[in-house]
Amino acid sequence: MANKDYYAALGVAKNASEEEIKKAYKQQVKKYHPDLNPDSKTAEAKMKEVNEAYDVLSDPEKRARYDQFGADGVNGAYAGGGAGGGFGGFGGADFGDIFDMFFNGAGGGRSSARRQNMARQGDDVRLDVKVSFEEAAKGTTREVPLTRSENCPDCGGSGAKAGTGRTTCSYCGGSGQVSSTQTTPFGQFQTVKPCPRCGGRGSVVETPCPTCNGNGRVRKQRKIKINIPAGVDNDSRLRMSGEGEGGYNGGPSGDLYIFVTVEPHKYFRRNGDDILCDLPISMVQAALGDEVEVETLDGRVKLTIPEGTQSGTSFRLRGRGFPKLRGYGKGDQNVKVSVTTPSNLTAEQKDLLRQFAKAGSGKKNDPGSKSRGKENKPKGFFNKIKDSISDNK
């Protein structure tokens, strides 16, 4: 059709150079190619238009006829989008390969081949370990089984049977890579890929090692000794250098990362480096005071309960907590008391409590007090209750 504007289709001026036309075409391909616009009829139609325009303007003879006679001057020369069919201009080349050349360059195979031959560190390994609350506080040592890849002990990682070696790959001549040339509308591109026969190493094993079947690596199960330091907490991560997967081509081994989970304790809780616990006491102990024993990670210790202690009061045992993992010293143990109400009281105990209730608190202006000035009377009642409870034990 005479009204087709190929310059507008590519977005270039009529005096555009060959390089400008080629650059504009690449930009339009990136924008409208159906692989990047799936199920878009608009993009498909635009891509056909772009291909048709490039087919004409990239050819000096066709462009001259177009400039003189318009689209009719090249009618028939554009054969439905190029010799390869489909979207012309690619010459049958796979769009994915061309797309890779646009964005990744044409030399990716070389770097891939080099990586195959380079000494590389082995992969890191993760190991999950559970420890008890006490082990987390004091530290412990574990011996755990670990399966990992290691250099074959018989061939030393070469993959060749003892007494033999690797030979130069005849397919790639020892380079570890093979190249091929593709012709596209943008010119000729050379692609380099790892050799399919030697896998990029440049050498092959003619007589494989029977132990590793030529792989150079074997799976081994070993027992690893792990030191868990005092003070670890949930999700603490410990690193053991060189205890991961074996290296490649003589490279160093990877690392082993141990992720710690601390099991809960039936009595203690943790808050940072501090330990929390609850201590139930009787109302007599709360009122009169007492000396009690408290559980700690290092055994029982004595704690003094002062007179008149209220439920919810916390007492601090200094230095009875967790060691500081990245510092010096220890946290504390906080003991929170809860006053319990007695049940199943005897008639005598109930009578004593009623007498105490009638006596009041002993404070001035207390309407329930009938014995003002006798400050020790409530305590005397509690002593009777205490003795009564002790007699019934």
Side-chain angles (χ1 to χ4, degrees):
M1 296 176 63
N3 62 348
K4 288 186 177 181
D5 189 342
Y6 292 144
Y7 291 104
L10 292 180
V12 296
K14 289 187 177 182
N15 61 349
S17 65
E18 291 183 12
E19 194 63 34
E20 289 173 332
I21 290 173
K22 183 182 294 186
K23 182 178 180 181
Y25 176 60
K26 290 180 180 180
Q27 293 174 344
Q28 298 291 352
V29 169
K30 296 175 186 178
K31 186 176 181 180
Y32 293 111
H33 196 280
D35 284 1
L36 304 178
N37 301 274
D39 302 325
S40 174
K41 297 295 183 183
T42 302
E44 183 177 344
K46 183 65 177 177
M47 193 68 240
K48 288 182 179 180
E49 181 183 345
V50 168
N51 280 327
E52 181 178 345
Y54 181 74
D55 182 75
V56 172
L57 298 183
S58 63
D59 187 313
E61 184 180 343
K62 291 181 183 180
R63 182 178 180 182
R65 291 203 306 270
Y66 172 72
D67 289 341
Q68 186 174 2
F69 304 107
D72 288 341
V74 290
N75 188 30
Y78 182 76
F87 299 103
F90 291 102
D94 180 74
F95 175 74
D97 292 338
I98 296 174
F99 192 81
D100 286 340
M101 286 187 277
F102 287 159
F103 296 102
N104 299 326
R110 291 188 179 92
S111 60
S112 177
R114 284 195 296 270
R115 287 194 298 270
Q116 290 289 335
N117 287 307
M118 289 174 59
R120 292 179 289 133
Q121 183 174 353
D123 298 327
D124 294 333
V125 176
R126 170 173 176 156
L127 184 65
D128 293 285
V129 175
K130 282 187 177 183
V131 296
S132 68
F133 197 88
E134 290 85 350
E135 288 174 328
K138 298 184 178 183
T140 186
T141 300
R142 289 284 182 85
E143 196 173 64
V144 296
L146 179 65
T147 302
R148 62 187 178 186
S149 295
E150 300 178 358
N151 283 336
C152 176
D154 292 338
C155 67
S158 70
K161 184 179 180 180
T164 67
R166 302 182 68 91
T167 59
T168 301
C169 177
S170 59
Y171 191 83
C172 65
S175 66
Q177 58 193 30
V178 292
S179 61
S180 60
T181 302
Q182 284 186 304
T183 301
T184 73
F186 319 111
Q188 290 186 333
F189 291 88
Q190 187 180 52
T191 59
V192 181
K193 297 181 179 180
C195 174
R197 183 164 185 257
C198 66
R201 298 193 66 173
S203 60
V204 294
V205 175
E206 298 293 348
T207 308
C209 170
T211 303
C212 64
N213 295 320
N215 293 322
R217 290 153 61 89
V218 292
R219 298 290 288 175
K220 289 281 189 180
Q221 186 180 72
R222 297 187 181 278
K223 287 192 174 182
I224 303 294
K225 188 177 181 180
I226 300 172
N227 292 318
I228 308 293
V232 295
D233 202 351
N234 278 314
D235 297 327
S236 291
R237 189 179 72 168
L238 312 176
R239 174 175 170 265
M240 295 183 67
S241 179
E243 292 293 350
E245 297 278 349
Y248 300 90
N249 301 323
S253 297
D255 299 330
L256 174 64
Y257 288 92
I258 300 115
F259 286 75
V260 178
T261 299
V262 180
E263 296 178 327
H265 194 277
K266 64 179 181 179
Y267 181 57
F268 300 123
R269 302 183 304 280
R270 183 172 180 176
N271 180 25
D273 295 322
D274 292 339
I275 293 176
L276 310 178
C277 67
D278 298 318
L279 177 67
I281 61 175
S282 70
M283 67 176 191
V284 176
Q285 290 174 305
L288 302 182
D290 199 1
E291 186 177 76
V292 297
E293 287 191 341
V294 179
E295 291 284 352
T296 72
L297 290 174
D298 299 314
R300 289 177 171 268
V301 298
K302 291 183 177 181
L303 173 66
T304 299
I305 306 294
E307 289 185 15
T309 296
Q310 302 299 309
S311 188
T313 302
S314 289
F315 298 94
R316 178 177 297 180
L317 300 176
R318 294 190 179 277
R320 296 290 181 174
F322 270 69
K324 299 182 183 298
L325 186 60
R326 294 176 179 85
Y328 298 96
K330 288 184 175 184
D332 302 323
Q333 180 170 330
N334 294 309
V335 183
K336 184 178 180 180
V337 299
S338 58
V339 179
T340 59
T341 302
S343 58
N344 300 321
L345 296 174
T346 65
E348 180 185 0
Q349 292 167 347
K350 292 178 182 179
D351 184 59
L352 287 171
L353 286 174
R354 291 188 187 100
Q355 292 180 51
F356 173 74
K358 289 179 180 180
S361 63
K363 293 182 180 179
K364 293 182 180 180
N365 300 323
D366 183 352
S369 176
K370 295 183 179 179
S371 54
R372 305 198 185 281
K374 298 182 180 180
E375 297 179 359
N376 292 328
K377 191 170 184 180
K379 185 174 180 180
F381 277 118
F382 269 123
N383 282 328
K384 291 179 180 179
I385 296 172
K386 185 176 180 181
D387 294 340
S388 175
I389 292 175
S390 299
D391 292 340
N392 287 318
K393 285 185 178 180

